[in-house]
Each structure stands twice: as C-alpha cells, then as structure tokens.
Amino acid sequence: MEKGFCYQTPLGKIVLIENGSAVTRLIFSEVLPEGVNCTETPLLKKAVLELQEYFAGTRKRFDLPFSPQGTDFQQKVWKALQDIPYGAVVSYKDIALAIGNEKACRAVGGANNKNPISIIIPCHRVIGADGSLVGYGGGLEIKRRLLALEKQK
C-alpha cells in the first residue's frame, strides 16, 4: 500500500507518495489520490527536507530512493532528465539524442509530460528548441519559477 502526505512548498501544496522503499510520485495538489494511505513516513520526511533544501538553493541533486513507474521508453527519458545539470536547460531534441533516437522529440515530450516525480526528476529543465518554455505538468508558471530559482543560486 502506498503512503503519502501533503506538504506546503514555495510553489504551493504538493503530495509526496512512496511505496515502502522509494518515492513514487510528486503531485502538485493537496489531495491524496484514492487508495493512498495518509501517513508521513521517514522517507517522505527526508524527501520534503531535500525539497526544502532545493528551494533554499543549497541542494543541487536529490539523494533519495525513487522509483517512477512507466514504459521502457519513459524510463530512458526520465534517466536522461536526471543527467541535466542544475541550472541548465536542454531541448526535447537534446534528450532524444541522449537516448539514441533523434527523431523521437515528440515522444520525449510525451514521456516528459508523464514524469511522475517532477522536480526530483527535473523535467522542468527541458525547453523548446527555440528556447521557449513549453509544457509542464505543474503549469508554465511553476516551470518558470523553478528555472529562475536555479539561475539565481
């Protein structure tokens, strides 16, 4: 049974969910999904502490066990996202090239959109080829704020 808890962040309320051994989801919401037990576990406390450090500008990489659930293709994309340095941005084509399929820009965008652990898996660092901010599950304003935070620190 998954356990989750709602936390206040500088971006608003988020729900963190874990499966007993790893963080599985980060949702921009204050409502736990159906079937998730409202329990603040040591792992969720560690995750929110690392997020607080990230928002304070003192953490550049997360040191948490996490386990996003998705297809093999999505897993490849999410792994490539983790290699984007703090404060950097790349295009969907850059990620497609990184996973060895340069024609998969649209599919990369779809996988990015399905990232279940945003911020921790930094999908906000992917922008359009022309430098525009495109698509983000939490909304473009949150994406803009995350990128601005990383540029400041």
Side-chain angles (χ1 to χ4, degrees), residues 7 14 16-18 23 25-26 41-55 59 62-65 120:
Y7 297 96
I14 63 163
L16 287 167
I17 299 171
E18 60 111 320
V23 174
R25 291 185 273 171
L26 183 157
T41 67
L43 177 56
L44 295 178
K45 286 180 184 178
K46 179 176 174 20
V48 79
L49 175 64
E50 289 196 11
L51 282 164
Q52 289 167 345
E53 293 168 348
Y54 168 81
F55 289 124
R59 176 169 292 279
F62 292 91
D63 184 31
L64 294 165
I120 294 170

Side-chain angles (χ1 to χ4, degrees), residues 112-129:
N112 218 32
N113 185 328
K114 300 279 191 234
N115 174 10
I117 315 174
S118 61
I119 303 175
I120 294 170
I121 299 176
C123 55
H124 60 278
R125 296 178 188 153
V126 182
I127 61 174

Side-chain angles (χ1 to χ4, degrees), residues 1-7 14-20 32-33 35-48:
M1 152 108 30
E2 289 184 309
K3 295 178 180 169
F5 205 77
C6 182
Y7 297 96
I14 63 163
V15 170
L16 287 167
I17 299 171
E18 60 111 320
N19 64 8
L32 271 68
V36 174
N37 185 4
C38 182
T39 305
E40 187 176 35
T41 67
L43 177 56
L44 295 178
K45 286 180 184 178
K46 179 176 174 20
V48 79

